[in-house]
Structure formats: C-alpha cells, structure tokens
Amino acid sequence: GAGVSQSPSNKVTEKGKDVELRCDPISGHTALYWYRQSLGQGLEFLIYFQGNSAPDKSGLPSDRFSAERTGGSVSTLTIQRTQQEDSAVYLCASSLGWGTETEAFFGQGTRLTVV
Amino acid sequence: GENVEQHPSTLSVQEGDSAVIKCTYSDSASNYFPWYKQELGKRPQLIIDIRSNVGEKKDQRIAVTLNKTAKHFSLHITETQPEDSAVYFCAPGGFQKLVFGTGTRLLVSP
C-alpha cells in the first residue's frame, strides 16, 4: 500500500485477555515505531525497530507488552492480560534511513478499549 | 535520553493573529527538527522541518526557526485560520529513538 496500515482499526477486549495489533509499514522503510496516545494526551514512545539492529524497548510500560518485527517489515504489538489502563490509541509510524532524521509516516491507529 | 519540552501547552488566538510554539531539547547531536500537526481524531502529519545547517525555513503561512546553540526551535504560524486548530508536536531527531514533545493545543477562534 501507499501508506502505513494498521489493523484492526478498533478493538474491544475484556480485561485479562491478550490482544495483537498489527502494523504494515511503507515498503522500504527501515525504521518502525510504536506509540501510545491516551485521550487528549501526547505520543508516548513504546518501541523502536531499526533495520536488523536490536530494538529499543525502553518505552514498554510493563512486561505485558512485547513487539516483534518479522523480516524487517510487518510488526505486531502484543499486550498480554490487558488492563483498563491499556485503553488508548496505538499508533505505528515508519520512516526511511536511520529514522529519526527523516519524516515519520503514521498509520491511522488502533483504538483499544478494555472493558 | 532526549528530553523534549514544548511551550505553551495550550494557545488560544483570534483568527488572523500569529502563533508561536517553542520546543526545547537536550541532545546536542540532534540535527533534524520537524513539526507535526494532529487534527482531532486524525494521525500526526509532518507540516514543516528544518535541518541543522539552516536557521530558518518558510512555507507559506508557517515557518520554523532554529537556535542550535540554545537548543530550541520554534514554529511560527501567521494569519491563523480556524483550520489551524490542532495539536502540534515537535520531534527533534538524531540517531536515537524518535521522541515527541509534550504537544501544544492551538485553538483559533473565528
């Protein structure tokens, strides 16, 4: 596709269940980021993948959160044993080269609601 | 790690006024200075950026100015319009993870 694609757009889950959020970056983009945005708040960094380097996981809020990126392309963010405070919009972004020196393109986000 | 702050956190102006948002950062290695706009319910999008070898860049009603010595850069919007109402984020870049500023909510009243 022409842009960053995320799925699903919306996800409602019961507390305690696991969820998987998917991000399909722009073809050829080596950098991929996940952010969390609560209602009316800023962009909270979660994790950063750059090429074949080890990901920067310093933003993951707890060990219930994990992410992987297969083949340098699609990424999946997994949240285990979801809690109500996990409710937010999860945004994925990708960019060329080393990433932080070039424009980041965002997906439309996945709105996660934990009930 | 990079510490990024924006001021003000909210800004209300009348249509036609100018608006200025400032971003301060801590990493002296930063060499890319973008501003993103996020309209309500939409994804953030780049509106203007500048690199460290340039002090100022303009694009119609918006401009970005950079002071690398003081480690801050600013977004200037002239002749504001209601459609400029949004949250604006800075994201000074270098060779580490992309960290966004805390955001500035701009409200332009007709």
Side-chain angles (χ1 to χ4, degrees), chain A residues 4 33 35 37 40-43 45 48 56 58 91 98 100-104 106-108, chain B residues 31-32 36 38 43-44 46 51 89 91-102 105:
Chain A
V4 178
Y33 312 86
Y35 296 89
Q37 189 171 39
Q41 301 300 307
L43 298 163
F45 168 80
Y48 165 41
D56 182 337
S58 60
L91 288 161
W98 282 104
T100 61
E101 290 189 293
T102 58
E103 179 179 359
F106 283 83
Q108 82 281 12
Chain B
N31 54 12
Y32 176 61
Y36 289 80
Q38 186 178 29
R43 72 192 81 184
L46 179 76
R51 298 189 183 274
F89 295 97
F95 294 96
Q96 299 179 17
K97 64 193 179 192
L98 186 62
V99 174
F100 285 82
T102 46
R105 185 174 302 277

Side-chain angles (χ1 to χ4, degrees), chain B residues 17-88:
Chain B
D17 288 350
S18 294
V20 181
I21 304 169
K22 184 176 179 179
C23 178
T24 59
Y25 60 95
S26 60
D27 187 355
S28 56
S30 296
N31 54 12
Y32 176 61
F33 306 94
W35 285 96
Y36 289 80
K37 176 183 180 182
Q38 186 178 29
E39 297 178 12
L40 189 63
K42 297 191 176 181
R43 72 192 81 184
Q45 290 189 298
L46 179 76
I47 55 170
I48 194 167
D49 58 10
I50 195 171
R51 298 189 183 274
S52 60
N53 58 341
V54 178
E56 181 176 354
K57 181 178 178 180
K58 281 186 179 181
D59 183 3
Q60 299 183 341
R61 295 187 298 107
I62 60 173
V64 54
T65 57
L66 171 64
N67 184 329
K68 261 207 117 179
T69 303
K71 290 191 280 188
H72 66 73
F73 62 112
S74 297
L75 175 68
H76 304 255
I77 306 174
T78 58
E79 301 171 34
T80 53
Q81 301 171 3
E83 53 263 39
D84 295 329
S85 296
V87 179
Y88 292 83

Side-chain angles (χ1 to χ4, degrees), chain A residues 77-114:
Chain A
L77 176 68
T78 300
I79 308 173
Q80 295 179 311
R81 304 181 301 282
T82 50
Q83 304 295 312
Q84 287 187 328
E85 59 262 29
D86 298 335
S87 296
V89 175
Y90 290 81
L91 288 161
C92 174
S94 72
S95 59
L96 280 171
W98 282 104
T100 61
E101 290 189 293
T102 58
E103 179 179 359
F105 293 85
F106 283 83
Q108 82 281 12
T110 293
R111 182 177 299 279
L112 175 66
T113 304
V114 182

